[in-house]
C-alpha cells in the first residue's frame, strides 16, 4: 500500500486500542443509530470506520477535498431513519460516528478519520463495500525494527520472516509453513525460560504467541501454518514439567523436524507416486499458477519416463507460473504457457488437470490461489478430470461458503503498476485514486463438485470424504 | 511355477489328506478350476480361496516375509492371467491386508501359524455367502409392492435379492437387459421366470426406451471403487446415465469384499491385462481384404418375417470393451452387507479396512 499520507496507521490503531474511551456518538446521528452504536458494538464500528479510513487514505484523498462532514452526517442520519438494521446507510452512519469519535484524538488522526468518513459516506457506490472486513496488507516498514510498534520482544528470525511474507518473497502454503517452522526452531534453540516459570507453561503462550501474532501482521496465517503451530503447542504440552530445559528443547527441535519430514516432504513424495499413476503417456496436463506438489509430480513423472506435455496457466499480478515454467523447462518437459484469459482456447487439448491448493476445506472446496475455482469449473464442464494434490496437513475443519468472508487482500498497487513499456497503453496512475478502486484478492473457493479426486498421502479420496480423513487420519499424535 | 494340476486328486482329498503338500500349486489353474466348479463363487472369494490353498502348499516358506512375497507374486500372477483383474484383485489385496496385520505368536510354530491363516481364510470364504443374505435384507425396503425394476445383466447378488423379495409375496416385474455380447441377461431372465417373477428381456439399446416405465434400476458390481463409483459389466454406465436423466433411483448391490482401493478418473483409467485398449483402430491395410456391402436388414411389412441380423465378426467382437466405470454422482445408494452407503461412504469403509493402525 503506498499511502500518500502517514495517517493511516494512526487511524487504524487508535480506535482499536481505545474502544472504551470513545465518547458516545449521540449528537452525531439519530438516537437509534446511537443505540446501535453503543455498548459492545462500538468496537466493531470503530474498526469498520478505521478500515474505511485506511482505504480512503489509500485512495489518495486529501483532507482538503473532503465534503463537509455535516452533510454526510445528515445523509447518514436520513438513511438511518426507521431502519435500525445494518444497511448501506446504517453502516455509513456508524462509521461516520465512530470515525468522528476517533478523530477527536486530534491532528493527523482527524484527517484520516474524515477521510474514512468520506469513504463510509459514499458506501452505497463503493464497489469494495463487500470487502471492508479484509485488511490491506501491512507495509513492510511497519514490520521492521524501526517501526514504532513494539517489536522489542520479537525474535529476529520472525522479523525477517514477516518481512519476507509481506513482500511475497516466500509464497505458497508449504514454503511458508517450512520457513515458519525453521524460524520457530531458531526461537526454541535460543530460548531460556525465565525464573519462576517453566518451559511448558511459558513457551507456548507468553513467548510464542507474540511471535506468531507478528507473523499474522504480515499476512494472515495459512491453514498449513495453523496446523503446524497446533502440533508444536501440543508437543510442548506433552513435555514433562520436570524435564531438563536443554533436553526438552532438543526434543522439540526433533519434533519440528519430524513434522517437516513426515507431514510435508514425505507426504509430497507419496502424493507424487499416487499422481504419477494417473498420468498416461500422451497426456496434456494443465496446471494453474504454481504448486510445489504439482511441480514435484510433473518433474518426477518425467524422471520416471512418462511422456506428456504441460500447459501452465498463469495470471496477474503474481505470475507464479513463471517459476514453474523455469523448472519444467530445465527438465525439458514440453510446456505451453498461457494466461488465465486464454484458458478457453487451450481447453480442447487438455486431458488431465493437476491443481495444488492452499487449504482443503471440510466440505471439499479448495481454498486456493485466485483463479483456481475458474480453472476447475471450466475443466469439469469440459469433462476433464480435475485432480487436487493436497497433503493432509492442509486439510481444514472450516467451511467457506464464498470467497468473500475469509479471503486475503493484496496491495492493489501491483494491479495498476505498468507491466510493459508499450507506449500505446494508456497510462494509469500506479496508485489508486478517488474514482478507482482496484481489488486484488489472493484466494478463491472452488466448488467441491468440480474436483474429481483428491490425492493425499493417505491415498486417493473423493472430495466428499475429506471429513473422514480429518476424523480418522492421525499420522502424528495430537492432530 | 511348475504346473501340476492336482494329479487326479480332488480338492477335498487335498485338504483332508495333505494339508501341507510340498508340491507347488499352480494358482492360475486352481483359481480357474474353482470358478468352473462352483457357479455361485464370485471372483474375489475364489482368489482368497486360491491364496489359502497356496499357503497350504507352501512348505518351504518359514518366515512371514517369505510368505508375503509368495502371496504377492501369486496375486500378480493371477491378475495378469485373468481377463478382469479388477474384481479378483479386490480379493487378493484384502487377503494381503489381513496378512500384514497378523503376527505369529511367539509360542506357535510357523506351520501352525500358517494353519491358523488357512483356517481364517476358509472361514472368510464360507462366511462370504452370508453377505448376500444381508444385502437381500438391506435391499428389501427399496423393493416395494407393485414396482417395476430394471436390472442389468446377471449378478448373483441382484438375483438373490429379487428372489428374496419375491419370497415375501411382493409383487413386482422386472426388465433385464440382454447384456451383449455374452447374453448374461438371459440367465437372469430364466432364473426369475422360473421363480414366477414376470420378467422381460430388453435390448441393451432399449434401456432409455424402457427407463420411464421403471421405478428403480438395480445393478450388481464387479468392483466398487474408492470414488464410490462402480466397475460393471458393459452397459452399466449408460443405464446409470439414463436413470439419472429420468430421475429414477439407481441402486448398486455389492458385497463389501468387492470394495477396492481403485480410483479411476475416467473410463479409460481402469487396469486391464489386455495388450491393447478396447476398440483401438487397426492400422489401415491395403485393399487385399474385400468387403461385401450387405443388404439392409428390414421388416417393411407386418407379415414379413424377421430379417437376418448382421453379426459382428469374431475380431470386431473381441475388440469390444467388457467393463465400464459408473461415476459416483449417478449412483443413489450402494447396498452392501455393511449397510446402505452413499457413494462417498465407501471411502469410510475402505479406510477402516486399509488404514487401521
Amino acid at each position: 500500500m503506498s499511502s500518500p499520507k502517514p495517517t493511516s496507521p494512526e487511524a487504524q490503531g487508535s480506535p482499536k486500542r481505545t474502544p472504551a474511551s470513545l465518547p458516545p456518538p449521540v449528537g452525531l446521528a439519530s438516537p437509534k443509530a446511537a443505540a446501535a452504536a453503543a455498548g459492545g458494538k462500538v468496537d466493531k464500528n470503530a474498526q469498520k470506520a478505521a478500515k474505511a479510513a485506511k482505504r480512503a487514505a489509500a485512495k489518495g484523498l486529501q483532507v482538503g477535498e473532503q465534503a463537509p462532514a455535516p452533510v454526510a452526517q445528515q445523509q447518514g442520519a436520513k438513511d438511518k431513519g426507521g431502519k435500525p438494521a445494518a444497511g448501506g446507510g446504517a453502516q455509513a452512519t456508524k462509521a461516520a460516528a465512530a470515525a468522528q469519535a476517533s478523530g477527536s484524538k486530534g491532528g493527523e488522526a482527524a484527517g484520516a478519520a474524515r477521510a474514512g468518513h468520506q469513504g463510509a459516506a459514499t458506501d452505497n457506490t463503493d464497489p469494495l463495500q463487500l470487502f471492508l472486513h479484509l485488511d490491506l496488507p501491512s507495509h513492510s516498514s511497519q514490520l521492521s525494527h524501526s517501526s514504532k510498534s513494539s517489536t522489542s520482544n520479537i525474535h529476529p528470525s520472525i522479523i525477517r520472516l514477516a518481512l519476507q511474507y509481506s513482500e511475497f518473497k516466500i509464497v505458497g502454503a508449504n514454503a511458508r509453513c517450512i520457513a515458519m517452522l525453521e524460524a520457530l526452531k531458531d526461537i526454541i534453540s535460543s530460548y531460556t525460560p525465565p525464573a519462576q516459570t517453566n518451559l511448558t507453561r511459558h513457551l507456548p503462550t507468553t513467548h510464542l504467541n507474540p511471535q506468531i501474532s507478528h507473523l499474522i501482521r504480515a499476512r494472515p496465517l495459512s491453514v498449513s501454518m495453523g496446523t503446524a503451530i497446533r502440533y508444536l503447542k501440543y508437543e510442548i504440552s506433552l513435555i514433562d514439567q520436570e524435564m531438563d530445559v536443554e533436553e526438552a528443547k532438543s526434543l522439540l527441535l526433533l519434533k519440528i523436524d519430524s513434522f517437516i519430514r513426515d507431514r510435508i516432504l514425505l507426504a509430497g513424495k507419496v502424493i507424487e507416486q499416487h499422481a504419477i499413476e494417473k498420468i498416461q503417456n500422451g497426456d496434456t496436463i494443465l496446471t494453474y499458477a504454481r504448486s510445489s506438489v504439482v511441480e514435484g509430480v510433473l518433474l518426477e513423472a518425467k524422471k520416471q519416463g512418462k511422456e506428456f506435455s504441460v500447459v501452465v496457466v498463469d495470471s496477474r499480478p503474481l505470475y507464479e507460473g513463471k517459476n514453474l515454467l523455469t523448472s519444467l523447462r530445465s527438465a525439458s518437459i514440453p510446456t505451453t504457457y498461457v494466461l488465465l484469459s486464454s484458458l478457453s482456447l487451450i481447453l480442447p487439448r487438455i486431458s488431465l488437470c493437476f491443481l495444488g491448493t492452499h487449504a482443503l476445506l471440510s466440505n471439499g472446496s479448495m481454498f486456493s490461489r485466485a483463479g483456481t475455482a475458474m480453472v476447475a469449473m471450466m475443466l469439469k464442464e469440459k469433462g476433464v478430470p480435475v485432480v487436487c494434490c493436497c497433503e493432509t496437513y492442509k486439510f481444514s475443519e472450516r467451511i467457506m461458503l464464498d470467497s468473500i468472508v475469509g479471503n486475503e487482500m493484496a496491495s492493489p498497487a501491483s494491479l495498476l503498476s505498468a507491466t510493459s513499456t508499450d507506449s500505446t497503453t494508456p497510462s494509469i496512475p500506479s496508485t489508486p485514486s478517488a474514482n478507482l478502486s482496484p481489488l486484488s484478492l489472493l484466494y478463491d473457493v472452488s466448488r467441491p463438485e468440480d474436483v474429481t479426486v483428491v490425492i493425499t498421502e493417505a491415498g486417493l479420496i473423493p472430495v466428499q470424504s475429506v471429513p473422514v480423513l480429518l476424523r480418522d487420519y492421525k499420522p502424528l499424535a495430537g492432530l | 511355477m511348475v504346473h501340476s494340476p492336482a494329479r487326479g486328486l480332488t480338492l477335498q482329498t487335498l485338504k483332508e489328506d495333505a494339508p501341507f503338500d510340498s508340491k507347488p500349486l499352480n494358482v492360475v489353474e486352481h483359481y480357474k478350476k474353482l470358478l468352473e466348479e462352483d457357479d455361485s463363487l464370485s471372483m474375489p472369494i475364489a482368489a482368497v480361496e486360491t491364496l489359502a490353498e497356496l499357503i497350504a502348499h507352501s512348505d518351504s516358506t518359514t518366515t512371514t516375509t517369505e510368505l508375503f512375497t509368495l502371496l504377492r507374486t501369486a496375486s500378480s500372477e493371477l491378475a495378469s492371467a485373468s481377463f478382469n483383474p479388477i474384481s479378483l484383485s479386490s480379493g487378493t489385496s484384502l487377503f494381503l491386508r489381513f496378512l500384514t496385520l497378523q503376527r505369529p505368536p511367539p509360542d506357535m510354530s510357523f506351520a501352525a501359524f500358517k494353519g491358523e491363516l488357512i483356517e481364517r481364510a476358509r472361514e472368510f470364504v464360507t462366511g462370504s455367502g452370508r453377505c448376500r443374505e444381508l444385502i437381500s435384507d438391506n435391499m428389501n425396503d427399496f423393493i416395494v409392492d407393485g414396482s417395476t425394476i430394471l436390472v442389468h445383466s446377471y449378478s448373483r447378488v441382484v438375483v438373490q435379492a429379487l428372489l428374496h423379495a419375491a419370497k415375501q409375496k411382493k409383487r413386482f416385474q422386472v426388465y433385464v437387459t440382454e447384456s451383449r455380447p455374452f447374453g448374461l441377461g438371459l440367465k437372469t431372465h430364466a432364473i426369475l421366470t422360473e421363480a414366477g417373477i414376470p420378467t422381460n428381456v430388453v435390448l441393451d439399446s432399449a434401456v432409455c426406451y424402457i427407463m420411464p416405465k421403471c421405478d428403480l434400476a438395480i445393478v450388481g458390481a464387479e468392483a466398487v471403487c474408492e470414488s464410490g463409483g462402480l466397475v460393471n459389466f458393459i452397459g452399466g454406465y449408460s443405464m446409470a446415465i439414463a436413470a439419472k436423466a429420468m430421475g429414477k433411483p439407481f441402486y448398486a448391490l455389492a458385497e463389501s469384499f468387492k470394495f477396492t482401493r481403485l480410483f479411476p478418473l475416467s473410463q479409460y483409467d481402469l487396469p486391464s491385462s489386455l495388450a491393447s485398449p478396447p476398440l483401438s483402430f487397426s492400422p489401415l491395410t491395403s485393399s487385399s481384404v474385400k468387403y461385401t456391402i450387405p443388404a439392409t436388414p428390414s421388416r417393411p411389412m407386418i407379415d414379413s418375417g424377421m430379417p437376418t441380423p448382421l453379426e459382428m465378426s469374431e475380431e470386431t467382437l473381441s475388440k469390444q470393451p467388457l467393463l465400464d466405470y459408473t461415476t459416483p454422482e449417478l449412483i443413489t445408494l450402494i447396498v452392501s452387507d455393511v449397510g446402505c452407503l452413499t457413494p462417498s461412504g465407501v471411502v469410510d469403509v475402505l479406510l477402516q479396512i486399509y488404514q487401521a493402525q
Side-chain angles (χ1 to χ4, degrees):
Chain A
M1 186 185 74
S2 55
S3 161
K5 285 172 67 65
T7 55
S8 49
E10 280 293 329
Q12 179 199 17
S14 55
K16 274 183 190 169
R17 275 205 298 271
T18 57
S21 69
L22 287 174
V26 179
L28 299 171
S30 70
K32 268 180 189 168
K41 285 186 182 167
V42 170
D43 194 15
K44 223 178 181 175
N45 295 334
Q47 281 184 26
K48 217 176 265 176
K51 275 183 193 158
K54 201 173 163 191
R55 211 173 303 278
K59 281 187 182 180
L61 294 173
Q62 297 302 310
V63 179
E65 290 170 11
Q66 300 305 310
V71 176
Q73 278 163 25
Q74 277 172 11
Q75 182 65 39
K78 224 185 281 170
D79 283 353
K80 191 68 202 167
K83 276 193 286 175
Q91 208 178 343
T93 311
K94 286 178 201 169
Q100 191 69 33
S102 64
S104 65
K105 297 282 160 203
E108 290 182 335
R114 248 180 281 157
H117 181 188
Q118 169 75 7
T122 54
D123 252 359
N124 291 334
T125 54
D126 186 358
L128 299 188
Q129 196 186 348
L130 273 175
F131 299 98
L132 283 177
H133 62 286
L134 297 179
D135 280 314
L136 275 166
S138 308
H139 196 260
S140 47
S141 65
Q142 289 167 253
L143 296 166
S144 62
H145 270 304
S146 56
S147 159
K148 271 178 277 179
S149 58
S150 69
T151 48
S152 53
N153 289 328
I154 307 296
H155 194 277
S157 300
I158 292 288
I159 290 186
R160 186 179 61 216
L161 187 61
L163 284 171
Q164 284 169 329
Y165 281 174
S166 75
E167 285 167 12
F168 286 83
K169 291 270 163 50
I170 297 181
V171 279
N174 281 348
R176 277 170 72 191
C177 187
I178 293 175
M180 182 196 68
L181 287 173
E182 292 297 339
L184 289 178
K185 271 168 73 181
D186 287 350
I187 295 179
I188 290 173
S189 34
S190 62
Y191 168 78
T192 19
Q196 269 122 43
T197 181
N198 60 26
L199 182 136
T200 325
R201 237 179 270 156
H202 180 255
L203 179 64
T205 50
T206 329
H207 195 66
L208 282 188
N209 279 354
Q211 319 280 342
I212 292 159
S213 347
H214 185 75
L215 287 182
I216 298 176
R217 286 179 59 204
R219 278 185 72 184
L221 218 57
S222 71
V223 169
S224 57
M225 289 155 69
T227 310
I229 292 168
R230 264 205 314 283
Y231 167 74
L232 178 63
K233 288 192 173 171
Y234 174 76
E235 286 299 337
I236 294 173
S237 76
L238 287 186
I239 287 175
D240 191 0
Q241 306 237 348
E242 306 301 314
M243 196 190 260
D244 177 57
V245 173
E246 285 309 314
E247 203 181 315
K249 276 160 64 178
S250 57
L251 180 71
L252 283 177
L253 296 182
L254 213 67
K255 291 287 181 188
I256 293 179
D257 279 336
S258 78
F259 185 91
I260 296 178
R261 192 191 60 218
D262 294 352
R263 300 299 305 268
I264 307 177
L265 301 177
L266 275 181
K269 291 283 165 223
V270 177
I271 290 173
E272 278 168 22
Q273 293 311 321
H274 284 310
I276 287 168
E277 283 167 26
K278 293 294 164 202
I279 300 178
Q280 254 126 55
N281 284 338
D283 268 345
T284 305
I285 300 166
L286 181 139
T287 185
Y288 177 67
R290 176 182 174 270
S291 150
S292 51
V293 192
V294 172
E295 183 176 346
V297 169
L298 296 175
L299 295 180
E300 185 62 30
K302 179 72 184 177
K303 217 178 280 173
Q304 295 191 8
K306 298 260 181 180
E307 290 300 322
F308 58 96
S309 57
V310 178
V311 174
V312 177
V313 181
D314 208 354
S315 76
R316 291 198 66 213
L318 290 174
Y319 289 122
E320 289 165 295
K322 284 184 181 173
N323 290 327
L324 177 62
L325 208 56
T326 319
S327 55
L328 292 183
R329 256 173 52 91
S330 55
S332 53
I333 299 171
T335 309
T336 310
Y337 180 79
V338 296
L339 286 184
L340 192 55
S341 44
S342 326
L343 178 58
S344 61
L345 306 178
I346 203 89
L347 217 47
R349 283 181 40 204
I350 310 300
S351 55
L352 189 60
C353 170
F354 279 125
L355 295 174
T357 183
H358 177 83
L360 197 62
L361 308 175
S362 70
N363 63 345
S365 304
M366 289 187 289
F367 182 66
S368 192
R369 180 65 67 230
T372 308
M374 177 174 150
V375 172
M377 214 179 281
M378 281 181 78
L379 286 162
K380 180 70 177 185
E381 194 66 19
K382 190 77 187 171
V384 178
V386 177
V387 179
C388 167
C389 300
C390 181
E391 300 90 340
T392 48
Y393 89 109
K394 288 185 198 161
F395 282 29
S396 164
E397 277 163 18
R398 291 171 63 201
I399 284 181
M400 289 165 94
L401 299 176
D402 54 43
S403 321
I404 298 169
V405 174
N407 215 319
E408 185 182 337
M409 204 177 262
S411 161
S414 59
L415 277 186
L416 297 172
S417 61
T419 48
S420 70
T421 49
D422 188 5
S423 57
T424 54
T425 342
S427 70
I428 300 169
S430 62
T431 49
S433 62
N435 56 0
L436 180 65
S437 329
L439 174 65
S440 176
L441 294 173
L442 285 179
Y443 298 104
D444 65 13
V445 177
S446 64
R447 301 187 304 175
E449 61 265 35
D450 291 333
V451 180
T452 316
V453 58
V454 182
I455 301 187
T456 73
E457 71 265 30
L460 285 75
I461 57 161
V463 272
Q464 296 88 348
S465 303
V466 173
V468 176
L469 274 196
L470 270 173
R471 187 193 65 205
D472 290 344
Y473 189 69
K474 308 258 189 277
L476 298 170
L479 289 166
Chain B
M1 212 170 276
V2 186
H3 172 49
S4 64
R7 288 198 187 155
L9 290 169
T10 64
L11 189 62
Q12 269 65 34
T13 54
L14 256 181
K15 273 182 203 163
E16 286 156 12
D17 302 341
F20 294 108
D21 195 323
S22 57
K23 278 190 296 292
L25 175 82
N26 185 320
V27 278
V28 177
E29 286 301 322
H30 187 80
Y31 174 71
K32 220 154 76 179
K33 196 159 125 278
L34 281 178
L35 283 181
E36 276 163 14
E37 274 172 4
D38 188 354
D39 194 40
S40 72
L41 205 61
S42 56
M43 283 188 242
I45 296 301
V48 171
E49 170 74 44
T50 309
L51 291 187
E53 194 61 33
L54 181 65
I55 299 179
H57 283 253
S58 66
D59 236 6
S60 55
T61 56
T62 47
T63 62
T64 30
T65 321
E66 247 180 304
L67 190 64
F68 203 75
T69 325
L70 179 73
L71 291 176
R72 209 197 282 273
T73 13
S75 308
S76 46
E77 194 182 339
L78 272 178
S80 55
S82 83
F83 186 75
N84 164 20
I86 300 168
S87 116
L88 164 146
S89 55
S90 67
T92 53
S93 57
L94 198 65
F95 188 68
L96 290 178
R97 175 66 193 169
F98 160 75
L99 207 66
T100 52
L101 297 177
Q102 305 304 311
R103 292 278 169 277
D107 54 343
M108 195 190 259
S109 75
F110 196 68
F113 174 63
K114 283 198 285 192
E116 179 93 349
L117 287 181
I118 298 165
E119 181 103 343
R120 297 284 292 277
R122 296 252 153 81
E123 258 170 47
F124 174 74
V125 170
T126 38
S128 70
R130 172 104 184 95
C131 290
R132 285 184 205 144
E133 289 167 33
L134 284 170
I135 294 175
S136 303
D137 277 345
N138 286 337
M139 193 57 204
N140 214 0
D141 296 338
F142 299 106
I143 302 174
V144 289
D145 207 34
S147 53
T148 307
I149 302 169
L150 182 60
V151 170
H152 178 54
S153 189
Y154 169 71
S155 150
R156 298 174 192 92
V157 60
V158 171
V159 166
Q160 185 165 338
L162 291 176
L163 292 178
H164 179 77
K167 213 171 280 171
Q168 297 167 51
K169 308 280 179 236
K170 282 183 183 173
R171 289 156 298 178
F172 57 91
Q173 45 194 13
V174 174
Y175 290 106
V176 58
T177 55
E178 180 197 5
S179 187
R180 292 260 294 146
F182 297 156
L184 283 168
L186 297 173
K187 176 164 183 176
T188 311
H189 175 251
I191 297 173
L192 294 184
T193 317
E194 197 199 9
I197 303 167
T199 310
N200 260 335
V201 179
V202 297
L203 285 171
D204 295 321
S205 44
V207 162
C208 293
Y209 171 85
I210 206 67
M211 188 65 82
K213 281 198 166 190
C214 302
D215 298 306
L216 69 159
I218 307 179
V219 296
E222 292 287 329
V224 179
C225 301
E226 200 155 14
S227 56
L230 310 170
V231 176
N232 225 327
F233 200 80
I234 193 85
Y237 184 40
S238 46
M239 185 185 274
I241 291 180
K244 180 85 174 179
M246 296 175 196
K248 310 289 180 184
F250 181 87
Y251 299 109
L253 270 51
E255 300 94 325
S256 56
F257 56 76
K258 283 183 177 168
F259 291 11
T260 87
R261 300 212 77 184
L262 196 70
F263 202 123
L265 296 181
S266 69
Q267 298 297 326
Y268 319 111
D269 194 22
L270 293 173
S272 142
S273 25
L274 300 180
S276 63
L279 293 178
S280 45
F281 288 96
S282 43
L284 280 179
T285 46
S286 57
S287 56
S288 58
V289 188
K290 270 280 173 225
Y291 279 99
T292 44
I293 311 294
T296 319
S298 67
R299 193 187 185 187
M301 297 297 161
I302 191 99
D303 54 354
S304 4
M306 286 296 278
T308 335
L310 301 174
E311 298 279 0
M312 276 184 185
S313 70
E314 192 78 7
E315 192 205 343
T316 323
L317 203 59
S318 67
K319 284 204 302 191
Q320 299 303 314
L322 285 181
L323 294 175
D324 61 15
Y325 167 62
T326 307
T327 49
E329 69 271 13
L330 304 172
I331 300 162
T332 312
L333 278 180
I334 294 163
V335 182
S336 80
D337 47 299
V338 289
C340 302
L341 307 167
T342 57
S344 56
V346 174
V347 172
D348 217 334
V349 176
L350 275 172
L351 285 180
Q352 272 170 28
I353 300 170
Y354 288 98
Q355 281 288 322
Q357 302 286 314

